[in-house]
mmCIF file of all heavy atoms in Angstrom:
data_model
loop_
_atom_site.group_PDB
_atom_site.id
_atom_site.type_symbol
_atom_site.label_atom_id
_atom_site.label_comp_id
_atom_site.label_asym_id
_atom_site.label_seq_id
_atom_site.Cartn_x
_atom_site.Cartn_y
_atom_site.Cartn_z
ATOM 1 N N ASN I 9 5.746 -4.224 -14.298
ATOM 2 C CA ASN I 9 6.888 -4.038 -15.198
ATOM 3 C C ASN I 9 7.469 -2.634 -15.070
ATOM 4 O O ASN I 9 6.780 -1.679 -14.697
ATOM 5 C CB ASN I 9 6.478 -4.279 -16.651
ATOM 6 C CG ASN I 9 7.580 -4.966 -17.436
ATOM 7 O OD1 ASN I 9 8.097 -5.988 -16.989
ATOM 8 N ND2 ASN I 9 7.934 -4.438 -18.595
ATOM 9 N N ILE I 205 1.372 -1.603 9.081
ATOM 10 C CA ILE I 205 2.107 -0.580 8.337
ATOM 11 C C ILE I 205 2.495 -1.149 6.986
ATOM 12 O O ILE I 205 3.150 -2.197 6.903
ATOM 13 C CB ILE I 205 3.362 -0.119 9.097
ATOM 14 C CG1 ILE I 205 2.988 0.479 10.453
ATOM 15 C CG2 ILE I 205 4.146 0.895 8.261
ATOM 16 C CD1 ILE I 205 4.183 0.781 11.339
ATOM 17 N N GLU I 289 18.324 -14.585 0.145
ATOM 18 C CA GLU I 289 19.579 -14.835 0.858
ATOM 19 C C GLU I 289 19.839 -13.750 1.904
ATOM 20 O O GLU I 289 20.521 -13.999 2.911
ATOM 21 C CB GLU I 289 20.742 -14.899 -0.130
ATOM 22 C CG GLU I 289 20.726 -16.161 -0.988
ATOM 23 C CD GLU I 289 21.776 -16.130 -2.093
ATOM 24 O OE1 GLU I 289 22.413 -15.045 -2.271
ATOM 25 O OE2 GLU I 289 21.969 -17.153 -2.770
ATOM 26 N N THR I 294 10.727 -12.904 1.500
ATOM 27 C CA THR I 294 10.585 -12.102 0.283
ATOM 28 C C THR I 294 9.768 -12.879 -0.738
ATOM 29 O O THR I 294 9.947 -14.091 -0.891
ATOM 30 C CB THR I 294 11.958 -11.770 -0.322
ATOM 31 O OG1 THR I 294 12.734 -11.049 0.627
ATOM 32 C CG2 THR I 294 11.812 -10.932 -1.586
#
Side-chain angles (χ1 to χ4, degrees):
N9 217 51
I205 300 172
E289 289 172 352
T294 301

